[in-house]
């Protein structure tokens, strides 16, 4: 029994788009660090996320099944993890981090470092896509992540590019469906979003460069939009090209949120922080930033039970399908927070969890109590 002293009880929060090992490690760590080094940094960041009040996360690229197992067995503190394992990319796509002087794996070359550490998997053609999806399922993925358009972090693909053919995407969807789960796709541009939806993808990750008819189409087709309230400064890039792509992405944030509300799209919230461990605490700031686009009540719903509804699309692959989370209800898992203040009145309380989260409970176990 904990005397809340008039504080506000709420469900544990969730983040629908994290990169646990990518968020916990720098570029140097990922390139030069051992697999153990990378995993231990990820495990430490898992604890930090839990102390920020995030009791469940959907990991959208990275070898996290071992970290998940250690947390689930109670060996280390951390959130419940829905792993995607390696994100799947075509050659020259958003997940191809091989250098231009290296021969692609499809043409007989060696795996890039990103593939060696299980962060990405490069595949071309239906057969390789099928094998890559099945490989991630074999390694414990609860859903599949596929790159369908350009991005800011990658070196070779402008934002307008469309990646994977219709047949390749349908192969990925078929393989995931056979395992009772779904495909989520990284994509910003209109053409890529339409191609993904036509192939049967259930979740669009990002979508910041969509137009209003495309957002309306997501509502009609009941496809989720897993969105991030990106702003300049959330990511930093060392060259003008990638910095320019980041600026373009950020300009779409306000419009897409407005259109999504207008058309009743199912929207999830995530952060997608990557390769800058010093910025990991921005996860909490971005949670509070959701209040710039939604009422505090709607934002809190999205941060808790709303995200959980998306996670449940994993169906038979859902590692936590036996109980509810993201709600305060009889019979639900006890993933709860005690807030020193009322986030319904001031969502910015969530931006400083060290100060304002008095109690964090996961699965009925108190992991933080400053009362």
């Amino acid at each position: 029994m904990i005397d809340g002293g008039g504080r506000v009880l709420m469900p544990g929060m969730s983040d629908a788009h994290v990169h646990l090992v990518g968020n916990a490690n720098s570029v140097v760590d990922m390139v030069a660090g051992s697999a153990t080094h990378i995993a231990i940094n990820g495990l430490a960041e898992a604890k930090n996320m839990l102390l920020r009040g995030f009791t469940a996360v959907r990991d959208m690229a990275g070898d996290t099944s071992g970290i998940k197992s250690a947390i689930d067995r109670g060996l280390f503190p951390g959130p419940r993890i829905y792993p995607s394992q390696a994100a799947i990319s075509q050659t020259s796509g958003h997940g191809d981090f091989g250098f231009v002087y290296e021969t692609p794996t499809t043409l007989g070359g060696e795996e890039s470092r990103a593939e060696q550490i299980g962060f990405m998997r490069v595949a071309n053609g239906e057969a390789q896509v099928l094998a890559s999806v099945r490989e991630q399922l074999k390694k414990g993925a609860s859903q599949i992540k596929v790159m369908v358009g350009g991005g800011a972090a990658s070196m070779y693909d402008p934002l307008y590019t469309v990646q994977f053919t219709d047949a390749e995407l349908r192969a990925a969807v078929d393989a995931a469906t056979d395992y009772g789960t779904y495909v989520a796709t990284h994509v910003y541009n209109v053409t890529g979003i339409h191609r993904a939806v036509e192939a049967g993808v259930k979740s669009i990750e990002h979508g910041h460069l969509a137009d209003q008819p495309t957002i309306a189409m997501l509502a009609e087709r009941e496809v989720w939009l897993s969105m991030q309230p990106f702003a300049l400064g959330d990511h930093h890039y060392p060259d003008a090209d990638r910095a320019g792509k980041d600026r373009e992405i950020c300009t779409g944030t306000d419009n897409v949120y407005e259109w999504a509300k207008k058309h009743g799209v199912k929207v999830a919230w995530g952060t997608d922080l990557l390769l800058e461990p010093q910025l990991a605490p921005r996860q909490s700031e971005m949670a509070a930033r959701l209040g710039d686009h939604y009422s505090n009540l709607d934002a809190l719903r999205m941060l808790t039970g709303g995200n959980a509804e998306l996670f449940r699309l994993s169906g038979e692959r859902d590692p936590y399908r036996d109980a509810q989370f993201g709600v305060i209800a009889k019979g639900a898992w006890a993933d709860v927070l005690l807030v020193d203040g009322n986030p319904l009145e001031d969502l910015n309380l969530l931006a400083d969890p060290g100060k304002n989260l008095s109690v964090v409970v996961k699965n009925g176990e108190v992991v933080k109590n400053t009362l």
Side-chain angles (χ1 to χ4, degrees):
M1 301 292 292
I2 297 175
D3 182 355
R7 293 170 179 83
V8 171
L9 182 75
M10 64 174 282
M13 295 182 290
S14 56
D15 189 328
H17 196 120
V18 303
H19 298 291
L20 190 58
V21 295
N23 194 16
N25 290 277
S26 67
V27 172
V28 173
D29 291 325
M30 297 288 267
V31 171
S34 67
T36 304
H37 175 91
I38 292 168
I40 288 176
N41 282 347
L43 193 58
E45 178 56 24
K47 178 181 178 180
N48 294 336
M49 285 188 180
L50 180 59
L51 293 176
R52 293 184 203 119
F54 294 95
T55 54
V57 299
R58 192 177 60 140
D59 193 281
M60 300 310 289
D63 186 7
T64 57
S65 62
I67 295 173
K68 172 189 177 298
S69 176
I71 292 170
D72 288 348
R73 285 183 287 153
L75 301 178
F76 296 94
R80 308 178 194 279
I81 299 174
Y82 282 75
S84 299
Q85 292 302 103
I88 300 170
S89 168
Q90 68 175 37
T91 297
S92 80
H94 184 57
D96 181 359
F97 289 95
F99 295 111
V100 292
Y101 54 79
E102 295 177 320
T103 303
T105 52
T106 300
L107 302 178
E110 299 295 323
E111 291 182 345
S112 69
R113 175 64 172 168
E115 291 186 90
Q116 292 171 4
I117 61 175
F119 194 56
M120 298 290 165
R121 171 59 72 203
V122 176
N124 297 279
E126 294 173 61
Q128 287 194 357
V129 170
L130 284 171
S132 297
V133 170
R134 292 165 179 164
E135 176 191 27
Q136 308 323 310
L137 293 166
K138 177 181 178 180
K139 291 182 176 181
S142 56
Q143 65 283 320
I144 297 298
K145 169 80 172 297
V146 177
M147 308 300 199
V148 183
S154 44
M155 297 178 284
Y156 312 123
D157 53 341
L159 292 175
Y160 66 80
T161 58
V162 184
Q163 299 169 17
F164 285 118
T165 65
D166 296 339
E168 288 171 320
L169 286 177
R170 284 194 296 271
V173 169
D174 287 345
T177 302
D178 285 346
Y179 262 69
T181 187
Y182 70 99
V183 172
T185 53
H186 161 103
V187 61
Y188 291 104
N189 64 63
V190 167
T191 304
I193 293 172
H194 281 269
R195 180 176 292 186
V197 171
E198 289 301 322
V201 163
K202 298 298 184 185
S203 176
I204 299 298
E205 307 298 311
H206 313 313
H208 292 69
L209 302 182
D211 57 19
Q212 185 169 181
T214 299
I215 296 300
M217 180 269 295
L218 295 182
E220 294 166 4
R221 302 288 288 270
E222 297 185 338
V223 175
W224 279 82
L225 176 64
S226 177
M227 183 78 170
Q228 304 77 36
F230 286 150
L232 290 175
D234 288 336
H235 303 90
H236 301 92
Y237 297 102
D239 58 278
D241 179 61
R242 283 182 284 178
K245 291 194 286 186
D246 181 55
R247 285 193 299 273
E248 185 177 351
I249 290 166
C250 290
T251 61
T253 300
D254 291 345
N255 283 337
V256 172
Y257 271 127
E258 285 302 312
W259 296 331
K261 287 189 293 185
K262 177 180 178 180
H263 295 285
V265 177
K266 293 181 178 181
V267 180
W269 170 87
T271 50
D272 193 32
L273 296 169
L274 187 65
L275 300 177
E276 295 182 278
Q278 71 278 11
L279 295 183
R282 186 159 291 178
Q283 182 181 36
S284 298
E285 298 172 23
M286 292 176 72
R289 195 187 299 164
L290 192 56
D292 295 342
H293 307 282
Y294 291 87
S295 70
N296 289 354
L297 177 59
D298 287 341
L300 288 165
R301 283 174 172 160
M302 192 182 299
L303 288 163
T304 55
N307 275 357
E309 185 181 347
L310 170 59
F311 294 3
R312 293 304 193 195
L313 291 184
S314 293
E316 293 298 314
R317 296 291 293 180
D318 186 341
Y320 310 110
R321 60 183 177 275
D322 296 331
Q324 286 181 293
F325 64 93
V327 294
I328 302 294
K330 184 177 180 180
W333 275 333
D335 295 354
V336 298
L337 313 175
L338 202 60
V339 186
D340 193 3
N342 188 351
L344 285 170
E345 297 173 356
D346 183 8
L347 199 64
N348 286 320
L349 292 168
L350 302 180
D352 191 350
K355 176 182 177 182
N356 300 317
L357 289 187
S358 302
V359 175
V360 177
V361 178
K362 181 201 166 194
N363 202 33
E365 297 184 3
V366 179
V367 296
K368 175 185 178 181
N369 184 355
T370 61
L371 297 180

